[in-house]
Amino acid sequence: MAFNSFISIILTHFLLLVTKTLAGKVPAIIVFGDSSVDSGNNNQISTVLKSNFEPYGRDFYDKKPTGRFCNGRIPPDYISEAFGLRPFVPAYLDPAFSISDFAEGVCFASAGTGYDNATSDVLDVIPLWKEVEYYKEYQKKLKAYAGKNKAKYIIKESLYLISIGTNDFLENYYSMQSQRSFQYTEDQFQDFLLRLAQNFVHQIYRMGARKVSLTGVPPMGCLPLERATNYVGGNGDGCNEKYNNVAKHFNVMLSGLVERLNEELPGIRVVFADAYNLLLQMITKPFSYGFEVSSVACCGTGLFEMGFLCDKSSPLTCTDANKFVFWDAFHVTDKTNHIISDFLMEHVLDQFL
């Protein structure tokens, strides 16, 4: 028993050492983007696009709905934990947290937003330029809290996660009320978004960011909402291949942008976090990943419910979200987020360890 106790103590000290080492290399996770990474900022603004109610968050800590568009955690939470930091990244606008919490991780993302300001106007959410304004405010608070030198270190060594773009297509360009589709062809609109993405990375680079993960867009034609509207019978079958092809093309453009950014910005390391193929595999071969259902979501009918339509009173909501790839008609489950995060840590973000 004494020997076992000794081994246990050694292992505990080793794990603590590893955790401290990882946290030392990346002192904080800083997040920009949309609902794929929003941990609750939309709770504090006037918009219909919220998820701070049940059944959202039913598998989160204390079964608490936080404003994450998921039954549990989202990728920044898992990535933060993988770097030896806190197992969740708090929303900047959440009054329950302060700069002492944000010093090791903060989320500026807003569900429904995009690179294009016109995208955020659709549902009155936080535009990307405003996320940057909050980041500027955060920097000032961080300097006051941690001191100039420590704040400079945190800003430089933090990992910046950027996940945005899907809404620019689905809520903006392809929407019935879109003005952009009259102004731009599909290729021109993608060029327009790419310039905005480039300008955004340049902007946070000038503000001190040096470790950046730029996320690609998912197979958006296979989201349950798009499958339902794409199929005449409306039973959730049939991906919209046009949307998928656009997503693949835009991801190629983003990958090229990442290469150029690394060449033109001294001292920066930008990686392309592309989980398109992984998510598509989970959708087309769900049983290979431990899922049972991928064509419809867990919440409600699984065809169109998201946000306030994903209501806790719906008798159709699944009892075990781990069997589903998608949580609502637009967002994946905690289990899917975990698989994607592990993949990115192993194949993309490992160079920051």
Side-chain angles (χ1 to χ4, degrees):
M1 288 294 290
F3 179 75
N4 289 337
S5 297
F6 174 74
I7 293 297
S8 178
I9 291 171
I10 293 296
L11 286 173
T12 299
H13 280 287
F14 174 74
L15 290 172
L16 286 172
L17 179 63
V18 169
T19 297
K20 288 180 180 178
T21 301
L22 293 179
K25 289 189 175 182
V26 173
I29 302 295
I30 298 177
V31 185
F32 295 93
D34 56 25
S35 60
S36 60
V37 290
D38 182 3
S39 56
N41 285 308
N42 275 22
N43 299 353
Q44 309 304 323
I45 64 174
S46 180
T47 177
V48 297
L49 192 56
K50 298 176 186 285
S51 59
N52 55 340
F53 45 82
E54 297 177 354
Y56 287 98
R58 73 181 194 187
D59 298 309
F60 194 73
Y61 299 108
D62 298 325
K63 302 186 183 299
K64 179 183 178 183
T66 61
R68 289 167 173 81
F69 281 79
C70 186
N71 60 303
R73 288 194 284 171
I74 52 180
D77 300 323
Y78 283 111
I79 291 169
S80 177
E81 184 176 36
F83 275 98
L85 299 167
R86 189 173 38 206
F88 64 93
V89 179
Y92 182 67
L93 298 182
D94 190 334
F97 299 95
S98 65
I99 190 61
S100 62
D101 303 295
F102 301 144
E104 66 172 84
V106 61
C107 172
F108 301 103
S110 174
T113 201
Y115 287 113
D116 185 3
N117 289 336
T119 303
S120 62
D121 291 339
V122 175
L123 291 168
D124 293 321
V125 297
I126 303 168
L128 191 56
W129 67 263
K130 185 64 175 179
E131 291 187 25
V132 174
E133 289 300 308
Y134 285 136
Y135 175 53
K136 290 179 183 177
E137 183 180 85
Y138 162 77
Q139 287 195 351
K140 292 179 182 178
K141 292 180 180 179
L142 187 64
K143 289 174 185 176
Y145 168 75
K148 185 176 180 180
N149 291 336
K150 182 65 181 292
K152 184 178 180 180
Y153 167 79
I154 292 173
I155 290 165
K156 180 183 178 183
E157 298 299 329
S158 291
L159 175 60
Y160 292 76
L161 303 179
I162 305 166
S163 181
I164 194 169
T166 303
N167 295 313
D168 288 304
F169 294 101
L170 299 183
E171 302 299 326
N172 183 355
Y173 190 82
Y174 291 123
S175 68
M176 293 180 66
Q177 69 271 28
S178 173
Q179 296 298 313
R180 294 302 192 203
S181 59
F182 292 103
Q183 295 174 289
Y184 302 109
T185 65
E186 284 182 343
D187 287 343
Q188 289 172 339
F189 185 64
Q190 290 179 68
D191 288 335
F192 170 64
L193 293 181
L194 200 73
R195 290 193 298 272
L196 295 176
Q198 181 178 23
N199 292 341
F200 172 70
V201 176
H202 273 258
Q203 189 173 16
I204 62 171
Y205 172 81
R206 291 192 297 270
M207 297 172 69
R210 291 298 181 270
K211 300 175 181 178
V212 179
S213 171
L214 187 62
T215 305
V217 294
M220 54 192 183
C222 288
L223 301 180
L225 180 63
E226 303 308 323
R227 295 178 75 152
T229 54
N230 186 56
Y231 186 69
V232 177
N235 66 356
D237 290 336
C239 296
N240 186 321
E241 292 305 328
K242 174 186 175 181
Y243 288 0
N244 281 356
N245 288 334
V246 168
K248 286 188 287 187
H249 182 260
F250 188 60
N251 282 344
V252 170
M253 296 174 70
L254 285 174
S255 180
L257 173 62
V258 166
E259 291 183 14
R260 294 195 300 277
L261 289 168
N262 282 315
E263 292 172 358
E264 65 192 25
L265 298 177
I268 201 171
R269 271 194 293 167
V270 188
V271 296
F272 181 48
D274 184 9
Y276 179 100
N277 289 328
L278 174 61
L279 182 53
L280 188 61
Q281 288 172 10
M282 284 190 266
I283 292 168
T284 56
K285 299 178 181 178
F287 292 100
S288 299
Y289 295 87
F291 296 107
E292 296 180 10
V293 183
S294 63
S295 60
V296 297
C298 168
C299 192
T301 63
L303 296 173
F304 62 87
E305 293 92 344
M306 64 171 281
F308 71 91
L309 292 176
C310 181
D311 188 276
K312 69 174 183 178
S313 64
S314 173
L316 299 175
T317 297
C318 75
T319 56
D320 185 2
N322 285 333
K323 296 178 180 179
F324 287 71
V325 174
F326 290 94
W327 165 248
D328 66 18
F330 214 85
H331 306 95
V332 298
T333 58
D334 173 280
K335 180 179 177 179
T336 306
N337 280 328
H338 199 171
I339 293 172
I340 291 173
S341 301
D342 285 348
F343 171 83
L344 294 177
M345 283 301 305
E346 183 177 354
H347 299 285
V348 180
L349 303 176
D350 57 315
Q351 63 181 279
F352 296 116
L353 292 172

